[in-house]
């Protein structure tokens, strides 16, 4: 086929696909992933003719569809963005402090694990009326009510990673959520949980009801933020248990919402989560739904210690699961990927030993390699 005919055919195909995608975006105004669906249409046509003008033309058609979507009342998540969206100079930090905290109200508290999970984990949505902004990867401080028995002073602040994007679960920008495991102590003598030794704050949060007030501080931290300037950045997210919280915010922002970050993102987000068993998996339904729409951009691997065995025949812990992909993880980091760790600090030695082994096989000085990653801000750790 002559060049001119080929270009005309490609443009015609692009027009059809872009039109369908634009119509779909309009028809599903505000629905999670509508903008992504439109964007993917252009990527499909790119294989017909890799011509910048064709792609630009398609993008314009899609853009017009998205503008129409907003005009029809779509809930595009763009009203809490920096300018440009990846600029981190305006990240809110410690807006509310211990002496002048914020009072939020519980919208809902829901158990999110199955009956065979080890312990109880709750998802708690808190209404802040848009007065307590935060970014994905940050934490809220919670001051439980009452005083300490030993000295009668108010309880200290407990930090919890925020489990939602900045737009909240309802995408209004007026709520945020926490993922909290109820801390209990099993007394071997009583053969029951000892209420005198239960976690003060986690039990308070898991026992809340709609309308209850929560005294809060923050938002805290910048170490777990996503560097969004390069949309091709790969994110490797390693979590144990409730350490999943910040990654839920990441995944919602990149794959479930109509954000500038989502429209631009072309990298791979790779989630590793370690829990005891299938009943203890957190937000799996959300993650699998997002993965079904973006199989090339979202990857998920679970380590279920009571259901799976590692290569040596022992229990499968998070470090064992990451080790299965050691070379690939190492290569991604060499190519600029960012790796995040959130959860129990006990996972760190095993993962670092594994990476050190890979480095040695490649003749690379591990300590220097790690120092380089940290200097480039590719290494993000928030463990407890």
């Amino acid at each position: 086929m002559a060049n001119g005919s080929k270009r005309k055919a490609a443009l015609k195909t692009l027009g059809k696909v872009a039109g369908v995608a634009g119509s779909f975006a309009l028809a599903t105004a505000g629905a999670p992933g509508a903008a992504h669906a439109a964007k993917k249409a252009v990527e499909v046509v790119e294989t017909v003719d890799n011509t910048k003008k064709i792609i630009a033309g398609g993008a314009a058609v899609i853009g017009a569809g998205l503008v129409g979507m907003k005009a029809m009342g779509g809930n595009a998540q763009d009203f809490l963005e920096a300018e440009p969206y990846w600029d981190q100079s305006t990240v809110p930090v410690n807006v509310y402090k211990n002496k002048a905290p914020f009072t939020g109200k519980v919208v809902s508290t829901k158990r999110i694990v199955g009956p065979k999970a080890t312990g109880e984990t709750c998802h708690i949505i808190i209404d802040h009326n848009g007065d307590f902004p935060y970014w994905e990867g940050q934490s809220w401080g919670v001051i439980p009510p009452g005083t300490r028995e030993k000295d009668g002073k108010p309880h200290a602040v407990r930090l919890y990673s925020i489990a939602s994007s900045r737009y909240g679960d309802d995408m209004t920008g007026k709520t945020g959520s926490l993922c909290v495991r109820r801390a209990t102590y099993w007394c071997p003598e009583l053969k029951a949980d000892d209420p005198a030794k239960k976690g003060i704050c986690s039990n308070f949060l898991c026992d809340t009801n709609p309308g209850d007030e929560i005294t809060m501080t923050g938002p805290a931290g910048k170490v777990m933020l996503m560097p969004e300037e390069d949309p091709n950045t790969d994110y490797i997210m390693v979590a144990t248990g409730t350490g999943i919280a910040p990654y839920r915010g990441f995944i919602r922002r990149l794959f479930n919402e109509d954000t500038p970050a989502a429209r631009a993102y072309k990298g791979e987000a790779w989630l590793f989560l370690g829990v005891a068993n299938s009943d203890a998996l957190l937000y799996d339904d959300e993650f699998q739904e997002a993965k079904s729409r973006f199989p090339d951009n979202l990857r998920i691997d679970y380590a279920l210690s009571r259901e799976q065995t590692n290569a040596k025949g022992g229990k499968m812990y998070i470090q064992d699961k990451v080790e299965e992909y050691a070379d690939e993880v190492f290569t991604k980091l060499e190519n600029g990927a960012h790796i995040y760790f959130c959860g129990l600090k006990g996972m760190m030695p095993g993962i670092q030993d594994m990476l050190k082994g890979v480095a040695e096989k490649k003749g690379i000085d591990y300590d220097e390699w790690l120092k380089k990653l940290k200097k480039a801000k590719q290494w993000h750790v928030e463990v407890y």
Side-chain angles (χ1 to χ4, degrees):
M1 185 185 289
N3 255 2
S5 300
K6 186 178 180 182
R7 286 173 58 82
K8 285 179 182 178
L11 282 167
K12 185 176 180 181
T13 303
L14 177 59
K16 288 180 180 178
V17 178
V20 171
S23 299
F24 176 75
L26 286 167
T28 57
H36 272 347
K39 183 184 75 172
K40 286 297 180 185
V42 176
E43 293 176 358
V44 168
V45 179
E46 189 169 2
T47 61
V48 176
D49 187 338
N50 189 20
T51 304
K52 289 183 179 179
K53 287 184 180 179
I54 292 178
I55 300 307
V61 174
I62 299 302
L66 294 177
V67 169
M69 181 180 75
K70 293 180 183 179
M72 290 179 69
N75 298 319
Q77 282 75 52
D78 58 6
F79 55 91
L80 292 178
E81 302 298 319
E83 185 57 49
Y85 73 90
W86 42 260
D87 179 25
Q88 297 185 353
S89 62
T90 58
V91 176
V93 178
N94 297 325
V95 177
Y96 294 95
K97 301 177 173 61
N98 293 24
K99 293 182 178 180
F102 179 84
T103 301
K105 284 193 175 182
V106 174
V107 175
S108 65
T109 300
K110 180 183 178 183
R111 177 188 170 103
I112 55 171
V113 291
K116 295 181 181 178
T118 51
E120 180 180 19
T121 300
C122 294
H123 181 73
I124 302 151
I125 301 176
I126 302 167
D127 182 1
H128 59 77
N129 198 38
D131 297 325
F132 201 163
Y134 60 87
W135 282 26
E136 301 75 22
Q138 290 192 296
S139 300
W140 269 340
V142 175
I143 304 174
T147 56
R148 300 184 300 196
E149 288 184 9
K150 62 179 181 180
D151 55 17
K153 292 182 178 180
H155 290 296
V157 173
R158 272 75 162 181
L159 286 177
Y160 293 91
S161 297
I162 300 170
S164 54
S165 78
R166 68 191 71 180
Y167 295 98
D169 282 16
D170 58 0
M171 305 195 186
T172 63
K174 295 183 179 181
T175 67
S177 55
L178 299 177
C179 179
V180 180
R181 177 171 174 169
R182 187 188 294 274
T184 57
Y185 172 76
W186 178 263
C187 177
E189 294 179 1
L190 295 174
K191 293 185 179 180
D193 287 335
D194 184 348
K197 296 181 180 179
K198 67 181 181 180
I200 299 296
C201 198
S202 65
N203 280 268
F204 158 67
L205 288 169
C206 289
D207 288 336
T208 54
N209 295 300
D212 287 352
E213 293 187 342
I214 296 181
T215 304
M216 306 165 66
T217 63
K222 289 185 177 182
V223 71
M224 296 291 284
L225 298 179
M226 286 191 293
E228 297 178 332
E229 185 170 1
D230 181 357
N232 296 303
T233 300
D234 287 340
Y235 300 117
I236 303 169
M237 305 167 283
V238 185
T240 58
T242 56
I244 194 68
Y247 310 141
R248 179 178 183 260
F250 289 6
I251 290 170
R252 288 177 71 86
R253 178 165 176 79
L254 294 177
F255 303 113
N256 286 36
E257 299 176 354
D258 181 13
T259 61
R263 292 172 217 154
Y265 191 61
K266 294 183 182 297
E268 180 180 77
W270 191 358
L271 173 66
F272 290 93
L273 171 62
V275 292
N277 55 37
S278 300
D279 268 21
L281 286 172
L282 302 168
Y283 308 113
D284 179 57
D285 54 343
E286 291 187 22
F287 298 154
Q288 297 299 338
E289 191 280 329
K291 180 176 170 57
S292 71
R293 288 185 287 108
F294 300 99
D296 298 329
N297 302 98
L298 179 58
R299 191 168 170 181
I300 302 170
D301 280 284
Y302 292 141
L304 308 177
S305 62
R306 299 191 182 183
E307 294 180 7
Q308 300 171 334
T309 54
N310 61 26
K312 298 175 183 176
K315 290 184 176 181
M316 175 71 80
Y317 292 109
I318 189 69
Q319 57 267 31
D320 302 314
K321 179 56 67 174
V322 177
E323 186 173 7
E324 289 183 2
Y325 304 95
D327 285 318
E328 190 174 357
V329 168
F330 194 92
T331 299
K332 278 182 174 289
L333 291 170
E334 283 277 88
N335 293 333
H338 283 240
I339 191 164
Y340 295 78
F341 302 95
C342 191
L344 298 175
K345 62 183 177 182
M347 67 174 161
M348 295 304 296
I351 289 173
Q352 289 186 291
D353 287 346
M354 174 269 294
L355 290 173
K356 185 176 182 178
V358 177
E360 289 174 350
K361 289 178 183 177
K362 295 177 180 291
I364 296 172
D365 184 305
Y366 175 74
D367 292 332
E368 288 299 316
W369 179 80
L370 181 58
K371 190 184 297 183
K372 184 181 73 173
L373 284 183
K374 290 179 178 179
K375 186 176 181 181
K377 298 182 178 179
Q378 292 172 245
W379 187 268
H380 310 258
V381 181
E382 192 169 84
V383 294
Y384 40 83

Short mmCIF file of all heavy atoms in Angstrom, two decimals, residues 347-367:
data_model
loop_
_atom_site.label_atom_id
_atom_site.label_comp_id
_atom_site.label_asym_id
_atom_site.label_seq_id
_atom_site.Cartn_x
_atom_site.Cartn_y
_atom_site.Cartn_z
N MET A 347 10.96 -7.77 57.69
CA MET A 347 11.13 -8.20 56.29
C MET A 347 12.41 -7.64 55.68
O MET A 347 12.93 -8.18 54.70
CB MET A 347 9.94 -7.75 55.44
CG MET A 347 9.83 -6.26 55.25
SD MET A 347 8.48 -5.86 54.08
CE MET A 347 8.17 -4.14 54.45
N MET A 348 12.93 -6.56 56.24
CA MET A 348 14.04 -5.86 55.60
C MET A 348 15.34 -6.66 55.51
O MET A 348 15.97 -6.70 54.45
CB MET A 348 14.29 -4.52 56.31
CG MET A 348 13.14 -3.53 56.17
SD MET A 348 12.70 -3.18 54.44
CE MET A 348 14.20 -2.40 53.86
N PRO A 349 15.81 -7.32 56.60
CA PRO A 349 17.08 -8.06 56.50
C PRO A 349 17.07 -9.11 55.40
O PRO A 349 18.04 -9.22 54.64
CB PRO A 349 17.22 -8.69 57.89
CG PRO A 349 16.44 -7.80 58.80
CD PRO A 349 15.27 -7.35 57.99
N GLY A 350 15.96 -9.87 55.29
CA GLY A 350 15.89 -10.92 54.28
C GLY A 350 15.94 -10.36 52.87
O GLY A 350 16.62 -10.91 52.00
N ILE A 351 15.22 -9.26 52.64
CA ILE A 351 15.20 -8.66 51.31
C ILE A 351 16.56 -8.06 50.97
O ILE A 351 17.07 -8.21 49.84
CB ILE A 351 14.09 -7.60 51.22
CG1 ILE A 351 12.72 -8.30 51.22
CG2 ILE A 351 14.25 -6.73 49.97
CD1 ILE A 351 11.54 -7.38 51.31
N GLN A 352 17.19 -7.41 51.95
CA GLN A 352 18.49 -6.81 51.68
C GLN A 352 19.56 -7.87 51.45
O GLN A 352 20.44 -7.70 50.60
CB GLN A 352 18.87 -5.88 52.83
CG GLN A 352 18.03 -4.60 52.85
CD GLN A 352 18.50 -3.60 53.89
OE1 GLN A 352 18.37 -3.83 55.08
NE2 GLN A 352 19.02 -2.48 53.44
N ASP A 353 19.48 -8.98 52.20
CA ASP A 353 20.43 -10.07 51.98
C ASP A 353 20.27 -10.65 50.58
O ASP A 353 21.25 -11.00 49.91
CB ASP A 353 20.22 -11.17 53.02
CG ASP A 353 20.72 -10.78 54.41
OD1 ASP A 353 21.46 -9.79 54.50
OD2 ASP A 353 20.34 -11.46 55.39
N MET A 354 19.02 -10.76 50.14
CA MET A 354 18.74 -11.30 48.81
C MET A 354 19.32 -10.38 47.73
O MET A 354 20.00 -10.84 46.80
CB MET A 354 17.23 -11.46 48.63
CG MET A 354 16.80 -11.88 47.25
SD MET A 354 16.43 -10.47 46.15
CE MET A 354 15.00 -9.80 46.97
N LEU A 355 19.10 -9.08 47.86
CA LEU A 355 19.63 -8.14 46.88
C LEU A 355 21.17 -8.12 46.90
O LEU A 355 21.81 -7.99 45.86
CB LEU A 355 19.08 -6.74 47.15
CG LEU A 355 17.58 -6.53 46.85
CD1 LEU A 355 17.13 -5.16 47.33
CD2 LEU A 355 17.29 -6.69 45.36
N LYS A 356 21.72 -8.27 48.09
CA LYS A 356 23.18 -8.31 48.22
C LYS A 356 23.74 -9.51 47.47
O LYS A 356 24.77 -9.42 46.78
CB LYS A 356 23.58 -8.37 49.69
CG LYS A 356 25.08 -8.30 49.93
CD LYS A 356 25.40 -8.26 51.42
CE LYS A 356 26.91 -8.13 51.63
NZ LYS A 356 27.25 -8.05 53.08
N GLY A 357 23.04 -10.66 47.57
CA GLY A 357 23.47 -11.86 46.86
C GLY A 357 23.46 -11.67 45.35
O GLY A 357 24.38 -12.09 44.66
N VAL A 358 22.42 -11.01 44.86
CA VAL A 358 22.33 -10.74 43.42
C VAL A 358 23.46 -9.82 42.97
O VAL A 358 24.10 -10.04 41.93
CB VAL A 358 20.97 -10.10 43.06
CG1 VAL A 358 20.91 -9.75 41.58
CG2 VAL A 358 19.82 -11.03 43.42
N ALA A 359 23.73 -8.80 43.78
CA ALA A 359 24.80 -7.85 43.46
C ALA A 359 26.15 -8.56 43.39
O ALA A 359 26.95 -8.33 42.46
CB ALA A 359 24.84 -6.73 44.50
N GLU A 360 26.40 -9.44 44.34
CA GLU A 360 27.68 -10.15 44.37
C GLU A 360 27.86 -11.03 43.15
O GLU A 360 28.96 -11.13 42.58
CB GLU A 360 27.78 -10.97 45.66
CG GLU A 360 27.97 -10.11 46.92
CD GLU A 360 27.92 -10.91 48.20
OE1 GLU A 360 27.55 -12.12 48.13
OE2 GLU A 360 28.24 -10.35 49.26
N LYS A 361 26.77 -11.68 42.72
CA LYS A 361 26.83 -12.52 41.52
C LYS A 361 27.17 -11.70 40.28
O LYS A 361 27.77 -12.19 39.33
CB LYS A 361 25.51 -13.25 41.30
CG LYS A 361 25.23 -14.35 42.31
CD LYS A 361 23.87 -14.98 42.07
CE LYS A 361 23.55 -16.04 43.11
NZ LYS A 361 22.19 -16.61 42.93
N LYS A 362 26.76 -10.44 40.30
CA LYS A 362 27.01 -9.56 39.17
C LYS A 362 28.33 -8.79 39.32
O LYS A 362 28.66 -7.95 38.49
CB LYS A 362 25.85 -8.56 39.03
CG LYS A 362 24.52 -9.21 38.67
CD LYS A 362 23.40 -8.17 38.61
CE LYS A 362 22.05 -8.80 38.25
NZ LYS A 362 22.01 -9.27 36.85
N GLY A 363 29.05 -9.06 40.41
CA GLY A 363 30.31 -8.37 40.65
C GLY A 363 30.14 -6.92 41.04
O GLY A 363 31.01 -6.08 40.79
N ILE A 364 29.01 -6.60 41.68
CA ILE A 364 28.71 -5.22 42.09
C ILE A 364 28.84 -5.08 43.60
O ILE A 364 28.40 -5.96 44.35
CB ILE A 364 27.27 -4.84 41.66
CG1 ILE A 364 27.17 -4.85 40.13
CG2 ILE A 364 26.86 -3.49 42.22
CD1 ILE A 364 25.75 -4.67 39.60
N ASP A 365 29.46 -4.00 44.04
CA ASP A 365 29.58 -3.71 45.47
C ASP A 365 28.20 -3.29 46.00
O ASP A 365 27.70 -2.23 45.65
CB ASP A 365 30.60 -2.59 45.70
CG ASP A 365 30.84 -2.32 47.18
OD1 ASP A 365 29.86 -2.07 47.91
OD2 ASP A 365 32.01 -2.33 47.61
N TYR A 366 27.58 -4.15 46.85
CA TYR A 366 26.21 -3.91 47.29
C TYR A 366 26.06 -2.61 48.07
O TYR A 366 25.11 -1.84 47.84
CB TYR A 366 25.72 -5.07 48.15
CG TYR A 366 24.35 -4.82 48.75
CD1 TYR A 366 23.20 -4.86 47.96
CD2 TYR A 366 24.20 -4.50 50.10
CE1 TYR A 366 21.94 -4.62 48.49
CE2 TYR A 366 22.94 -4.25 50.64
CZ TYR A 366 21.82 -4.30 49.83
OH TYR A 366 20.58 -4.04 50.36
N ASP A 367 26.99 -2.33 48.97
CA ASP A 367 26.88 -1.13 49.80
C ASP A 367 26.92 0.14 48.94
O ASP A 367 26.15 1.08 49.18
CB ASP A 367 28.01 -1.09 50.84
CG ASP A 367 27.84 -2.20 51.89
OD1 ASP A 367 26.68 -2.60 52.13
OD2 ASP A 367 28.86 -2.66 52.44
#
